[in-house]
Amino acid sequence: MVDDYRRIDRRTFAIGLMAALAACNKSQKSEAAMPGMHTAPRPTLPAPSPVATSFWNAWRTHFLAPEGRVVDTGNGDISHSEGQSYGLLLAYQAGERDTFTRIAEWTEANLARRDMALYGWRWEPAARAMTDTNNATDGDIVIAWALALAGERWNEPRWTERAREVRAAIRKHCVITRYNRQLLIPGLQGFVEDAGVTLNPSYFVWPALDQFAKADGMATWGRVIRDSEDLLRLSRFGRHDLPCDWIRVTGTRSVAPAPDKPPRFGYDAIRVALWGAQGNRTDLTAPVASYWRSCLAQHRPIPAWIDVVSGQEADYALSNGGAAIAGRLLGTAYPTQLSNDYFAASQQMLAQV
């Protein structure tokens, strides 16, 4: 079922955002001017708006169990590294150290692999155990990003160190050299074949990768970032030049929709717009923005997906989560009601990070 939403006053939203940013900048300048200060101030965030606070309270109530397990209500109430990573990032954004701690501790106790500093993808409540030990690289990336942010903000060395370990494991196990490129593969198993390598463009979490490069140096992450950017530029298919959920790389400049998956700009690829907007990659998100604007110019809802080969579009609109990402990218209205679906609600929350 497609979520309905009301439009908010864009001018009011913009004024509130400018005021929050101004307050944050004033606070940072005041701290920098204090005599005797020899270290950079710890990260500070603007106070969340009433809407953001109410969304966070609702998200936490509906999708976070007391022990720190993020529950995927649309997928049999399982938990996975993606959900845990989102929970960590959102708890950090909300400034709730206790909530962050509970999520981090549950994640380490139930999803952390023992052979390397990565996380198994799936935990099932019926088994009370991890049932899929293969990792999801995007979950690992966001976990490492959130841990690094929290370690710095709350001066917690164990989180900073764990973030470093996870980054090193991602670099060692989830980046391969093929076709004269550094390819960020989606997981340890199931994506690399002699005939080609399957990638997911939405796993390129630009703000996290930029943080990795800042922490470890461009010598470690620069090539990975540049090649991932270039591959996304090559992943422009159909008359709208859109990326699709999964691509197959068969040469340095040979990129096509993955042949064993629907060639859709859909539920995965929509995060290309999310991470691109957050990571200031406007050149990479430009085709998506152009397509979405064309839909709005025609006074029709943005479809939930489009087949980049045939041009067929879904006969239903974006969820509230997708609408929030479109709002972030285009500077248009955000939905004002949080979805009751885990994935859509998480997209809504992440669009405001």
Side-chain angles (χ1 to χ4, degrees), residues 235-255:
S235 301
R236 293 177 175 176
F237 310 114
R239 67 188 184 94
H240 297 293
D241 290 331
L242 296 172
C244 58
D245 295 340
W246 295 90
I247 60 174
R248 176 67 64 85
V249 181
T250 56
T252 302
R253 302 190 63 80
S254 298
V255 182

Side-chain angles (χ1 to χ4, degrees), residues 129-202:
M130 180 165 53
T131 57
D132 188 344
T133 60
N134 196 21
N135 76 310
T137 303
D138 64 330
D140 295 334
I141 288 173
V142 178
I143 287 172
W145 178 28
L147 287 171
L149 292 173
E152 183 178 1
R153 182 182 191 184
W154 289 309
N155 193 27
E156 182 53 73
R158 59 176 172 151
W159 292 337
T160 301
E161 175 59 20
R162 181 59 175 170
R164 186 198 63 77
E165 293 172 351
V166 177
R167 290 196 307 269
I170 293 169
R171 186 64 182 83
K172 179 178 180 179
H173 300 289
C174 301
V175 177
I176 67 168
T177 301
R178 180 76 71 89
Y179 310 122
N180 195 33
R181 289 195 182 277
Q182 297 285 295
L183 303 180
L184 184 65
I185 59 175
L188 295 169
Q189 301 172 355
F191 302 99
V192 181
E193 300 175 351
D194 292 340
V197 180
T198 299
L199 303 181
N200 188 317
S202 74

Side-chain angles (χ1 to χ4, degrees), residues 276-345:
Q278 289 190 0
N280 298 315
R281 295 326 199 265
T282 55
D283 63 320
L284 301 182
T285 59
V288 178
S290 177
Y291 170 61
W292 282 347
R293 285 196 185 98
S294 72
C295 294
L296 298 179
Q298 298 169 32
H299 304 289
R300 66 187 183 93
I302 298 174
W305 54 261
I306 178 174
D307 187 309
V308 300
V309 175
S310 70
Q312 178 189 4
E313 295 180 343
D315 59 2
Y316 52 95
L318 289 172
S319 69
N320 269 14
I325 294 174
R328 172 69 181 264
L329 184 64
L330 302 180
T332 55
Y334 285 61
T336 57
Q337 182 177 354
L338 189 69
S339 174
N340 59 8
D341 172 73
Y342 151 78
F343 190 64

Side-chain angles (χ1 to χ4, degrees), residues 15-16 18 20 41 54 75 78 88 96 101 107 140 168 174 189 221 223 229 233 245 269 292-293 298 306 331 333 337:
I15 291 172
M18 290 172 65
S54 66
N75 196 12
I78 69 167
L88 289 170
E96 293 190 5
T101 300
T107 305
D140 295 334
C174 301
Q189 301 172 355
W221 291 103
R223 179 72 183 277
E229 290 172 337
R233 292 187 186 97
D245 295 340
W292 282 347
R293 285 196 185 98
Q298 298 169 32
I306 178 174
Q337 182 177 354

